[in-house]
Amino acid sequence: MKNSKISKRFIGFGLIVTVFVLVFFRAHQAGLNWLIYCSLASVISMVIAKPEIRSKLILPAIGLTLSGLAVFIHSDALAILMCLLSFGYLGVALVIPNADPGFGAIAGFLNFIISPFGVIIRFFQRLNANNGKFRGIVTTLLIPAALLTFFSILYYESSPAFRDLLDAIRWDHLPQFIFTAILGVFAASVLLYCFAPERFNKVYDNIGQKSTKISDYMGNLKFVNSWLIGVWSLVVLLSVVILTDLMYQVNGQTPTDFTYATYLHQGIYASIFSIICAAILTVLTNNYLGEIKKKSFRLANLIFIVLNGLFILQNVQRNYVYISQYGLTEKRMVIYIYLALCIIGLVLTSITILQNRSLGFLYKTNAFNVYFVLIVSALMNWSTTITAYNINHPYGQEQIVDYDYLLSLDKSNTYLLLPHQNRMTDAQKDRVDSRVWSISNYDIRDYREWVLGKSIAKKRLSNPK
């Protein structure tokens, strides 16, 4: 690819910049344009990539496309954030094909700052290193063109006569066009000229292999019995925790300072560290120390994983009780998502143990677990889900529905609130009427800015059923 006169990456760079300008020039709202750009950027990246790494780019490309789809459907902060992280992750994957979403998202985020400057520096380095007509043309015209463009934009508003001159030749949108093109170059630089350290390829090539140094650090064969007793002790300890909590719920005994919030948060805070530590501990003791007493370690660790699963289910029940007392909110929905991640993580831990894989394998599979759960979450309409639940399940003895909270959610839930206006205050009714007017007047003036969720909300208002 580097030996050709015009590399595939350079052609792809130009195509991605062109697509960016076509879908974003004078289209300020995030919507269908993000889906188009993300989809085409994924396809172009796959085409210009080396054949031997294309299969490893499938998941990052799918992640970016799904993130773009989430922006098209909802155009909310979570969808846009996942889109930016997925974009950076795909750029890293072109350099480090085996990169996981965790490292890829972090390195990709840093490349939003590094890559554009790196591309400019690399461009001038190549101009100084290579000879030929291209160099002569570029070096002759580049600086004058850059200076004229910059100062034309700067002087556009400074002189009415100069502005009229430019407007007379119908260049009224030239500054905006140039700015969009610069943003396109910026985005293409992040994707195709990622400055991730390529030496990490060797790290990821060895991520599935177990290091003997870890077993040495743990005491190797000298402390096998001690570790085995330790795991069985944790099995007994967690069993006691689960059984006492079960008896606590069955008997209905509560302390004087009992609150549902404290009850839930204590369980969640404990599970945050318990699940992570349990996953690491079970893999370490079973896969790095358990060669001699393999059956004993495997049995103890699998029981420990099952008990952690029961611990998670207890927290699910705590969250359900809390919701039944105070209603469903976004934060309480996040707790459900977190607990679902924990359950999937325990399943992946069991697979790691049964297949005798490394800690690196456990980390990487869980990184994909978190990544795609977040993308699926971005695709969901949590506003309507929360609203439908709270309306159908009023909480507390007085059967309360917190309409102020529901009105703070996305406008897509308006069709669910409309039949309940007679139960609202005058201020709440006015907010619903304002939402109805806003949704009813939604018009797709530019299909690049089309947000599917807004069209669906408008259709549901006209036909609530």
Side-chain angles (χ1 to χ4, degrees):
M1 189 165 67
K2 292 182 179 180
N3 295 328
S4 58
K5 294 181 179 180
I6 302 179
S7 68
K8 288 183 179 180
R9 186 165 62 168
F10 184 79
I11 295 173
F13 186 91
L15 289 174
I16 291 177
V17 173
T18 302
V19 171
F20 188 95
V21 172
L22 290 175
V23 299
F24 290 113
F25 176 57
R26 301 191 66 195
H28 306 291
Q29 300 296 322
L32 181 61
N33 45 10
W34 281 63
L35 174 59
I36 295 173
Y37 181 73
C38 291
S39 302
L40 291 179
S42 299
V43 172
I44 292 171
S45 299
M46 294 285 289
V47 171
I48 68 170
K50 298 177 181 178
E52 59 268 22
I53 69 169
R54 283 175 185 165
S55 61
K56 298 179 180 179
L57 299 179
I58 293 175
L59 288 179
I62 291 175
L64 178 58
T65 303
L66 290 176
S67 299
L69 177 61
V71 175
F72 169 50
I73 296 174
H74 303 301
S75 188
D76 59 7
L78 177 60
I80 292 175
L81 175 62
M82 291 307 301
C83 206
L84 294 175
L85 292 178
S86 299
F87 191 80
Y89 171 39
L90 180 58
V92 173
L94 285 166
V95 180
I96 309 174
N98 292 322
D100 63 271
F103 171 80
I106 295 173
F109 180 78
L110 294 175
N111 269 287
F112 278 96
I113 302 172
I114 299 172
S115 290
F117 293 102
V119 167
I120 294 173
I121 293 171
R122 182 181 294 176
F123 178 77
F124 280 102
Q125 284 177 340
R126 290 188 176 181
L127 285 179
N128 292 328
N130 299 325
N131 294 315
K133 294 181 179 179
F134 176 75
R135 179 188 175 188
I137 295 173
V138 170
T139 52
T140 302
L141 300 179
L142 178 63
I143 294 177
L147 292 175
L148 285 173
T149 301
F150 177 80
F151 282 95
S152 294
I153 297 173
L154 184 65
Y155 297 149
Y156 180 75
E157 295 293 344
S158 65
S159 170
F162 183 67
R163 184 179 63 237
D164 292 340
L165 175 63
L166 294 181
D167 290 343
I169 55 178
R170 298 182 180 180
W171 283 5
D172 51 330
H173 299 300
L174 180 62
Q176 188 176 354
F177 176 84
I178 293 173
F179 180 73
T180 306
I182 292 173
L183 287 180
V185 172
F186 172 90
S189 301
V190 174
L191 184 62
L192 299 185
Y193 288 89
C194 172
F195 284 79
E198 295 187 12
R199 62 178 178 273
F200 274 88
N201 276 312
K202 295 182 179 179
V203 175
Y204 280 100
D205 287 340
N206 298 325
I207 199 167
Q209 300 177 6
K210 294 187 296 183
S211 173
T212 56
K213 292 183 179 179
I214 295 179
S215 18
D216 293 336
Y217 294 146
M218 296 176 67
N220 212 326
L221 303 179
K222 298 179 182 178
F223 295 96
V224 169
N225 290 330
S226 181
W227 281 107
L228 184 58
I229 294 172
V231 176
W232 278 110
S233 300
L234 290 177
V235 168
V236 174
L237 176 63
L238 189 53
S239 300
V240 172
V241 172
I242 293 172
L243 288 173
T244 52
D245 188 72
L246 181 62
M247 293 174 61
Y248 186 84
Q249 295 178 25
V250 171
N251 294 332
Q253 298 176 350
T254 58
T256 54
D257 60 346
F258 173 84
T259 63
Y260 286 103
T262 302
Y263 185 54
L264 172 64
H265 295 156
Q266 286 176 345
I268 294 300
Y269 294 152
S271 65
I272 288 175
F273 296 101
S274 175
I275 302 304
I276 296 174
C277 294
I280 296 173
L281 177 64
T282 52
V283 173
L284 282 174
T285 55
N286 188 85
N287 295 6
Y288 290 84
L289 284 180
E291 295 301 327
I292 296 178
K293 299 184 178 182
K294 196 167 187 177
K295 291 183 179 180
S296 299
F297 270 111
R298 178 169 292 185
L299 178 62
N301 283 315
L302 290 178
I303 293 175
F304 191 42
I305 289 173
V306 171
L307 290 173
N308 274 279
L310 294 176
F311 187 51
I312 292 172
L313 293 178
Q314 281 191 333
N315 283 292
V316 171
Q317 194 272 339
R318 291 185 185 191
N319 197 36
Y320 174 77
V321 171
Y322 189 44
I323 289 170
S324 65
Q325 293 295 320
Y326 299 103
L328 182 62
T329 64
E330 289 177 309
K331 291 182 179 179
R332 291 155 205 167
M333 185 64 74
V334 169
I335 291 176
Y336 275 135
I337 295 173
Y338 162 73
L339 294 174
L341 285 170
C342 289
I343 292 174
I344 298 172
L346 289 179
V347 173
L348 294 173
T349 302
S350 301
I351 294 173
T352 305
I353 290 175
L354 293 174
Q355 294 184 356
N356 197 23
R357 305 296 290 269
S358 67
L359 275 176
F361 173 82
L362 177 65
Y363 159 73
K364 192 170 184 177
T365 52
N366 274 288
F368 280 101
N369 167 28
V370 173
Y371 177 62
F372 281 104
V373 167
L374 288 176
I375 289 178
V376 171
S377 299
L379 289 166
M380 300 293 291
N381 189 334
W382 298 114
S383 177
T384 55
T385 301
I386 293 170
T387 303
Y389 181 89
N390 286 348
I391 287 176
N392 294 321
H393 300 86
Y395 62 86
Q397 295 181 351
E398 298 179 0
Q399 297 293 282
I400 299 172
V401 176
D402 189 350
Y403 291 109
D404 283 325
Y405 171 72
L406 298 181
L407 285 166
S408 70
L409 300 176
D410 185 77
K411 293 180 181 179
S412 59
N413 68 352
T414 305
Y415 78 101
L416 293 170
L417 296 172
L418 199 58
H420 298 269
Q421 271 189 299
N422 59 333
R423 303 177 186 176
M424 300 180 186
T425 64
D426 290 339
Q428 291 169 343
K429 290 178 182 178
D430 291 340
R431 292 174 68 183
V432 172
D433 291 337
S434 175
R435 281 168 158 243
V436 170
W437 182 88
S438 176
I439 294 171
S440 301
N441 285 276
Y442 175 68
D443 187 23
I444 307 172
R445 298 180 180 179
D446 187 338
Y447 272 94
R448 295 176 301 170
E449 299 176 308
W450 176 26
V451 178
L452 182 61
K454 293 183 178 180
S455 295
I456 294 175
K458 183 177 181 179
K459 184 178 181 181
R460 282 173 170 170
L461 277 182
S462 58
N463 184 18
K465 296 181 180 181

